Amino acid sequence: MSPERIDKIATTIIIGLAGLVGLIILSLLAYILAIGIPHISWHFLTSEAESFAAGGGIRDQLFNSLYLVVLTLIVSVPLALLAAIYLNEYAPDNRATRLLRLAIEVLSSLPSVVVGLFGYLVFVLKFGLDFSLLAGALALTILNLPILTRSCEDALSQVPDLQRQAGLGLGMSRWRVTTKIVLPAALPGIITGAILSAGRIFGEAAALIYTAGQSAPLVSYTDWNPFSPTSFLNPMRPAETLAVHIWKVNSEGLVPDARAVSNGSAAVLIITILLFNLVARYVGHRIKRHLAK
């Protein structure tokens, strides 16, 4: 058999398998959306959840998920960016650096339930944060930091070395070259990675069961004092997220319309994560076009 024919057969097999995987994923998405979208309404999105009666919504759970994303990104993005700058711009290529990158790879593959148990032991019990949004954000930072660090490092590594050499040749310091030349050029990739990681944070459940909690106490959306126990901005309050709510509704099934609430919540979760991905691509493309002008 000729090499050209072997190449054609291999390409056909690869395309066929890729198409099969894509078809399975699209089928799952279509199924979740088909059974969930009919249960989504304005009342469902803006009313509080019910513990025993039918007709509850996901207002608090949806806000808690979005607020948790913001808190996690506030903590994780600066840490990941500084780590990526060190690894890509300053760290020498030696055994210690390779060991550090290996540790990052190992951390990125940790099961979320392990991170949740670690967060429960350290943040909830040891540091006394109890079940709170802050404890959940710190646990998700551990989960998100390795992936976000690699994403930022990849964005920095795609900046041509010629730009760095030009800046150094003009007498600029290494830090000034990094902040004035490299970071602006890598900004589209960094922002895209941050928004994509936000989608993963939004859909996380296992790590939050042990840190953010499984209850959603009543909060006031007119109380803007973050130190008030009833304020929606208070990071020290327990907060059931949307993904945890789906798990809780399916596992307990105390409300009569548990199946409808679960299907509608799952559809909202999928749509929101899809929006995160679309926004990431759009923002990265717009910034790249703006920098190219």
Side-chain angles (χ1 to χ4, degrees):
M1 188 178 295
S2 64
E4 292 80 4
R5 186 171 180 79
I6 295 176
D7 179 73
K8 186 176 295 186
I9 294 175
T11 302
T12 304
I13 293 174
I14 292 172
I15 294 175
L17 292 176
L20 178 61
V21 172
L23 182 62
I24 293 174
I25 294 174
L26 290 176
S27 300
L28 289 174
L29 289 176
Y31 175 74
I32 294 173
L33 294 177
I35 64 174
I37 288 179
H39 302 290
I40 299 176
S41 63
W42 182 249
H43 172 78
F44 182 72
L45 295 175
T46 58
S47 61
E48 62 186 60
E50 296 287 348
S51 299
F52 303 102
I58 57 170
R59 178 194 63 189
D60 298 332
Q61 288 76 13
L62 184 58
F63 173 78
N64 291 338
S65 298
L66 295 173
Y67 190 30
L68 190 63
V69 168
V70 173
L71 291 176
T72 305
L73 291 181
I74 289 175
V75 178
S76 60
V77 169
L79 294 176
L81 186 57
L82 290 174
I85 289 174
Y86 170 74
L87 289 172
N88 195 75
E89 304 296 326
Y90 290 92
D93 187 13
N94 53 28
R95 181 176 297 179
T97 306
R98 289 192 292 270
L99 183 63
L100 180 59
R101 285 193 169 92
L102 178 62
I104 292 175
E105 292 289 345
V106 172
L107 280 175
S108 65
S109 61
L110 276 180
S112 58
V113 66
V114 174
V115 177
L117 289 172
F118 174 83
Y120 174 74
L121 293 174
V122 176
F123 303 128
V124 176
L125 298 182
K126 183 68 176 178
F127 291 164
L129 297 179
D130 297 325
F131 291 109
S132 62
L133 280 164
L134 183 58
L138 293 176
L140 288 183
T141 296
I142 298 175
L143 195 66
N144 190 46
L145 198 56
I147 298 174
L148 192 54
T149 300
R150 290 305 304 270
S151 176
C152 293
E153 187 181 0
D154 289 341
L156 293 172
S157 64
Q158 292 177 7
V159 179
D161 288 335
L162 189 61
Q163 297 187 22
R164 297 178 176 86
Q165 295 169 7
L168 294 173
L170 292 173
M172 300 173 66
S173 64
R174 176 67 68 86
W175 177 250
R176 192 169 180 82
V177 169
T178 301
T179 55
K180 299 298 182 181
I181 297 177
V182 178
L183 276 180
L187 192 60
I190 294 172
I191 294 179
T192 300
I195 298 176
L196 290 176
S197 68
R200 186 192 180 193
I201 296 169
F202 188 86
E204 185 56 52
L208 298 176
I209 293 173
Y210 303 101
T211 51
Q214 305 176 38
S215 61
L218 293 177
V219 294
S220 172
Y221 289 92
T222 59
D223 187 357
W224 292 83
N225 180 13
F227 300 102
S228 173
T230 59
S231 173
F232 68 104
L233 295 177
N234 185 4
M236 301 306 298
R237 63 179 175 86
E240 181 186 60
T241 61
L242 188 59
V244 174
H245 184 62
I246 295 172
W247 170 82
K248 185 178 178 181
V249 168
N250 280 286
S251 60
E252 295 180 352
L254 298 179
V255 293
D257 57 345
R259 180 63 63 86
V261 172
S262 175
N263 292 340
S265 301
V268 172
L269 184 68
I270 291 296
I271 292 172
T272 307
I273 294 176
L274 288 175
L275 287 176
F276 275 123
N277 284 267
L278 293 175
V279 169
R281 295 181 182 275
Y282 176 77
V283 171
H285 179 68
R286 288 297 300 269
I287 294 177
K288 188 176 295 184
R289 287 184 57 187
H290 178 73
L291 294 175
K293 291 181 180 179

